[in-house]
Amino acid sequence: MSVTHEVTNQVPPLVYDVADDPALLAAVGRAEAGWAVDELHELGRLAGGEQAQEWGRLVNENEPVLRTHDRYGHRIDEVEFHPHWHDLMRVAVSHGLQAAPWRDSRVGAHAARAAKLYVWGQVEAGHTCPISMTYAAVPALRATPELADRFEPLLASTEYDFGLREPGTKRGLIAGMSMTEKQGGSDVRANTTTARPAGDGSYRLVGHKWFTSAPMSDVFLTLAQAPGGLSCFLLPRVLPDGSRNPIRLQRLKDKLGNRSNASSEIEYEDAAGWLVGEEGRGVRTIIEMVNNTRLDCALGSASGMRLGAVRAVHHATHRQAFGKALVDQPLMANVLADLVVESDAAATVAMRLAAAGDRTGDEQEQAFRRLGLAVTKYWVCKRAPAHAAEALECFGGNGYVEESGMPRLYREAPLMSIWEGSGNVAALDALRAMARQPESVAAYFAEVELASGADGRLDDAVGRLKKELSDVDGIEFRARRVVESMALVLQGSLLVRHGDQAVADAFCASRFGGDWGLAFGTLPSGTDTSAIIERARV
């Protein structure tokens, strides 16, 4: 080979234990889920290995295909996946990422599950959609105990059993969700799908859904207009007599990212369903599902940030420019450290909220979770796209090439901010929580003020926030700014109390100190960038 083709100054493959994450492991310990650490590392080594990384690449390059009819013209409404999609799902289910915590009596079960989702999601984000919906379906189903008794053990099973069969004959189930319609979007009360009682305890649904996530799932939670108003229903793909429920897949969405996961438009043609909860209380019933998937959105964004930070640090450590490694260039060090600070802050707050899910009997914890989740969903998910863009740019032109894996991360990043209520919906939900549940505000400040006196910059930010919240005039117009401030104060408090000292100092100096630019890489002089970057070196 000609010497002009000698390969030099290229970065070696990144193979590592994804669970080797100091912010995550510290959070797991605080959540009393240390019993899960060995399994977390087992999953982390698999997630960071060449085999799983190849699975993730292949399922995104070989996207799902809709098969509406078989060769003889029979309607089948099936989605065909690359075989490695099922490998990814099998690992997730076998480790209990879907609904196992609901039937696990150990302290910290939900926090352990959140940590595993954060780790395994770094392999491939698309398949975590049905995993998340299955997790979130259980508390919604509990509104109708007889349905929960029938389906919950199968949803919580750690056996992945793909295929079109009557749910009761399977070893494990996956759940989907079908809410939005063409004319409504987030305004689900505008839905037009109807549900009429069939006289046998079931209902018959007629209508359409604009987005049905994971249409190959075994059962779906959906909203429809019943005689008593908008209601929640459970629909199986296969009916008890073994026949197919007439849920017609019209087409798969051609999406920006999340391309391994099928998202579809569907029609209900007199499809059979069973009422979940009471007629007319569909939103209240399904919000139990939404609150848990919103947590998974924050976890997914935090997971992506960690992946971006680790990849950027790895690249900069091994890539030379102008006579020395990129990581040793002062301005690059500022960028990398800022990416790690943002990643640590996201992981810490997401895991704090996951831990609150294990404390259902504590009213203050649940009030804190109600407001903290809305605030965190808005901000962490909003930060992810900018974080992914900056991490990609650390690679230069190499980051713009698909082989680097960074374009896929970049395409995935905006989705979590859209799923389960886009930025405005999340910000307004935070205002709604404060107005309707003032105890959530008290619980929020009780949490952030645990750091009172530890950092003057944080104390000043808490004071400014209280003043801003006292001015209710035009607060809806200012909702994004208000919720952003709340998210930063919460992250700052958690980092000051529990985070690495260099990370906490950099966070408070930049986010509250008035010396923070609009881009990543604008940490103030004196920041211990070396200590911060080391937290993402694997």
Side-chain angles (χ1 to χ4, degrees):
M1 180 180 290
S2 168
V3 293
T4 61
H5 288 277
E6 183 181 356
V7 177
T8 61
N9 199 24
Q10 289 294 314
V11 177
L14 178 59
V15 177
Y16 68 113
D17 179 356
V18 175
D20 187 13
D21 178 341
L24 177 69
L25 295 175
V28 168
R30 289 192 300 273
E32 300 180 84
W35 49 266
V37 167
D38 287 346
E39 184 185 0
L40 198 59
H41 281 296
E42 176 191 340
L43 196 58
R45 289 188 291 272
L46 182 59
E50 292 180 355
Q51 180 187 55
Q53 291 183 43
E54 184 71 354
W55 291 351
R57 181 184 72 82
L58 288 170
V59 299
N60 278 272
E61 291 184 3
N62 299 273
E63 299 172 22
V65 176
L66 174 61
R67 307 293 186 193
T68 56
H69 296 77
D70 67 13
R71 61 183 292 192
Y72 305 107
H74 301 122
R75 187 91 197 209
I76 58 173
D77 296 291
E78 283 288 344
V79 179
E80 188 178 282
F81 290 88
H82 188 278
H84 288 321
W85 166 271
H86 302 297
D87 290 324
L88 292 164
M89 290 289 292
R90 191 172 296 108
V91 170
V93 171
S94 68
H95 284 272
L97 273 64
Q98 77 306 359
W102 297 112
R103 301 180 70 82
D104 190 338
S105 60
R106 287 177 292 184
V107 175
H110 289 276
R113 177 261 173 192
K116 289 187 283 187
L117 182 71
Y118 171 95
V119 166
W120 185 242
Q122 292 180 47
V123 175
E124 201 286 312
H127 81 289
T128 64
C129 170
I131 294 297
S132 176
M133 290 189 297
T134 305
Y135 173 70
V138 170
L141 275 182
R142 288 178 175 177
T144 302
E146 55 268 33
L147 289 177
D149 289 345
R150 179 181 173 190
F151 291 105
E152 185 175 318
L154 292 169
L155 292 168
S157 168
T158 53
E159 291 194 60
Y160 175 64
D161 189 2
F162 183 80
L164 190 68
R165 299 193 303 282
E166 197 279 317
T169 68
K170 302 187 74 174
R171 301 186 307 276
L173 301 178
I174 297 297
M177 183 166 60
S178 196
M179 293 173 61
T180 60
E181 299 184 3
K182 297 183 184 75
Q183 73 287 343
S186 296
D187 183 10
V188 295
R189 294 190 184 278
N191 284 4
T192 61
T193 295
T194 60
R196 56 179 175 80
D200 59 359
S202 68
Y203 288 70
R204 295 295 181 268
L205 278 68
V206 176
H208 72 277
K209 293 294 173 180
W210 192 230
F211 276 95
T212 292
S213 299
M216 66 292 167
S217 300
D218 299 293
V219 295
F220 301 88
L221 286 176
T222 194
L223 292 174
Q225 300 287 355
L230 189 65
S231 306
C232 181
F233 296 90
L234 179 75
L235 278 70
R237 274 210 303 162
V238 180
L239 297 170
D241 65 3
S243 64
R244 294 179 182 231
N245 211 0
I247 303 171
R248 307 305 187 197
L249 307 187
Q250 304 297 80
R251 65 168 175 162
L252 300 185
K253 298 289 192 179
D254 186 7
K255 298 171 294 184
L256 168 68
N258 207 248
R259 299 187 70 89
S260 69
N261 178 40
S263 300
S264 63
E265 297 170 24
I266 67 166
E267 297 287 338
Y268 295 134
E269 296 181 357
D270 224 31
W274 285 265
L275 183 66
V276 180
E278 302 174 26
E279 275 196 16
R281 296 172 69 84
V283 173
R284 180 181 289 270
T285 300
I286 211 164
I287 203 69
E288 289 293 328
M289 188 173 192
V290 170
N291 278 337
N292 284 294
T293 47
R294 282 179 176 171
L295 172 62
D296 283 359
C297 286
L299 285 164
S301 290
S303 175
M305 287 189 206
R306 175 65 181 178
L307 179 61
V310 167
R311 283 183 172 178
V313 168
H314 178 75
H315 180 87
T317 298
H318 295 279
R319 182 78 168 177
Q320 298 280 324
F322 306 110
K324 58 182 177 180
L326 285 174
V327 72
D328 296 326
Q329 311 276 359
L331 189 53
M332 178 60 83
N334 196 324
V335 171
L336 295 170
D338 212 355
L339 291 174
V340 176
V341 166
E342 193 73 32
S343 171
D344 270 22
T348 301
V349 72
M351 286 299 299
R352 171 65 182 91
L353 291 164
D358 282 303
R359 301 164 188 160
T360 54
D362 187 325
E363 291 184 5
Q364 180 164 312
E365 276 288 282
Q366 297 316 300
F368 163 70
R369 188 177 186 271
R370 170 68 183 92
L371 180 54
L373 184 54
V375 164
T376 298
K377 200 280 182 187
Y378 169 77
W379 180 243
V380 170
C381 297
K382 189 63 68 181
R383 291 293 283 166
H387 191 280
E390 196 68 60
L392 182 153
E393 190 174 323
C394 290
F395 287 64
N398 290 322
Y400 208 68
V401 175
E402 288 291 340
E403 289 174 332
S404 72
M406 299 306 288
R408 173 154 56 97
L409 178 65
Y410 182 69
R411 289 192 297 269
E412 291 287 349
L415 180 56
M416 297 301 171
S417 191
I418 295 170
W419 257 347
E420 309 306 7
S422 57
N424 284 355
V425 172
L428 293 172
D429 186 48
L431 297 190
R432 189 179 304 111
M434 289 189 281
R436 296 180 180 177
Q437 297 173 258
E439 67 273 16
S440 69
V441 182
Y444 166 86
F445 278 107
E447 175 73 22
V448 301
E449 288 177 344
L450 290 173
S452 182
D455 190 291
R457 297 161 298 192
L458 174 60
D459 291 341
D460 289 345
V462 172
R464 291 193 299 270
L465 175 60
K466 287 182 174 180
K467 183 177 180 181
E468 186 157 22
L469 288 177
S470 68
D471 178 13
V472 297
D473 233 17
I475 195 168
E476 185 172 324
F477 184 80
R478 295 182 285 116
R480 284 192 174 214
R481 180 64 187 134
V482 168
V483 173
E484 175 184 317
S485 298
M486 295 181 73
L488 290 170
V489 163
L490 177 56
Q491 287 181 320
S493 174
L494 290 168
L495 289 175
V496 166
R497 284 182 282 144
H498 306 303
D500 173 80
Q501 183 177 348
V503 170
D505 183 67
F507 187 93
C508 291
S510 55
R511 276 63 171 172
F512 306 133
D515 191 16
W516 189 30
L518 297 178
F520 283 101
T522 55
L523 296 174
S525 298
T527 298
D528 189 351
T529 57
S530 296
I532 296 170
I533 291 169
E534 195 61 33
R535 294 173 64 78
R537 201 189 299 272
V538 294

